[in-house]
Amino acid sequence: MVDNYIHEQRVKGYYQSFDKLKVAFAEKSLHFMPTYIHEAYLLGDEDRIIRNTRMSIKEQQRETFRQIDRYHSKPGKYVLHNSYTLISSLRSLYPALTEIYDLIGLEGMEKANFSTVPMLKYKKAAQEIKDVKRLQPFIYNEFAANSERLEHDIKTIIPRLCVEAHIKSKATVTMLSKFFETKRTTSSGQHITIIGEKKDLTKLSPFD
């Protein structure tokens, strides 16, 4: 029993670090010729345990999406992994919040302090921006800067472009003002929209 205890503790010591384990195998080189493959895991048992502790619901949500966020590629950072089952499992915990995360990211959720009303507000704004950017090439192909168009024509064209672009936002004449500086005027009894310069869409933010 004493020998078994000593042996068990020695083996546990090998697993305290990767280097100690390699040394242990090297000492038995006549019996083992191991190869080593480095695999970095972004999430482990410690993260799972944290989620299962007695947190408030909001803190559980916050921790879950912080962990999900570790697996998302960002500008200048690419995450390579095959843990799709794990990510799917985490995302399935809060389906509604996952939709919000996909639009505003962890940054937006943190800005809203994981409160429902501001998160939904950011989500709506982010969806509108997404639709605007998807609609952008269709609008620029149909309307030119520094020109004029009859509002009657715009009312017909905008809905058609929205269908072609598969966007979710409601099609309205005022949509044109998201892409150009615009003014309304009347000439010979007809309502006309004066289309000015293009707007810089790169500065759009759901948090403004």
Side-chain angles (χ1 to χ4, degrees), residues 88-99:
S88 296
S89 175
L90 288 174
R91 289 171 63 90
S92 68
L93 294 175
Y94 304 103
L97 287 182
T98 297
E99 291 182 12

Side-chain angles (χ1 to χ4, degrees), residues 28-69:
K28 303 296 180 180
S29 58
L30 294 178
H31 304 283
F32 300 101
M33 295 185 65
T35 56
Y36 303 101
I37 300 174
H38 178 72
E39 292 190 13
Y41 293 89
L42 294 177
L43 297 178
D45 287 339
E46 183 179 353
D47 299 288
R48 176 179 54 79
I49 291 170
I50 289 175
R51 292 198 311 274
N52 292 336
T53 56
R54 297 197 175 197
M55 293 179 171
S56 66
I57 293 177
K58 182 181 289 189
E59 284 305 315
Q60 288 179 10
Q61 293 171 346
R62 192 188 305 270
E63 182 59 34
T64 298
F65 282 94
R66 282 175 178 171
Q67 292 179 17
I68 290 173
D69 195 63

Side-chain angles (χ1 to χ4, degrees), residues 63-178:
E63 182 59 34
T64 298
F65 282 94
R66 282 175 178 171
Q67 292 179 17
I68 290 173
D69 195 63
R70 294 187 205 172
Y71 276 89
H72 277 252
S73 298
K74 300 175 180 64
K77 174 188 174 185
Y78 300 92
V79 180
L80 303 177
H81 63 85
N82 58 358
S83 303
Y84 299 111
T85 302
L86 171 60
I87 297 306
S88 296
S89 175
L90 288 174
R91 289 171 63 90
S92 68
L93 294 175
Y94 304 103
L97 287 182
T98 297
E99 291 182 12
I100 293 174
Y101 171 81
D102 289 339
L103 280 169
I104 67 175
L106 183 62
E107 176 193 4
M109 298 175 88
E110 294 280 16
K111 280 180 180 291
N113 194 30
F114 279 79
S115 296
T116 302
V117 173
M119 280 197 298
L120 289 176
K121 177 184 175 183
Y122 291 154
K123 177 190 176 184
K124 181 181 178 182
Q127 182 63 58
E128 289 176 354
I129 291 173
K130 184 177 180 180
D131 286 346
V132 163
K133 291 185 176 180
R134 183 181 294 174
L135 187 59
Q136 180 180 6
F138 295 85
I139 291 290
Y140 289 165
N141 188 54
E142 187 71 41
F143 298 97
N146 302 311
S147 63
E148 296 182 0
R149 295 295 287 267
L150 293 174
E151 285 195 8
H152 177 269
D153 292 342
I154 297 175
K155 287 180 180 179
T156 303
I157 294 170
I158 294 292
R160 173 174 59 81
L161 297 183
C162 288
V163 172
E164 291 176 3
H166 303 288
I167 69 166
K168 298 180 179 180
S169 299
K170 183 179 179 181
T172 63
V173 174
T174 57
M175 269 188 165
L176 199 60
S177 64
K178 296 180 182 294

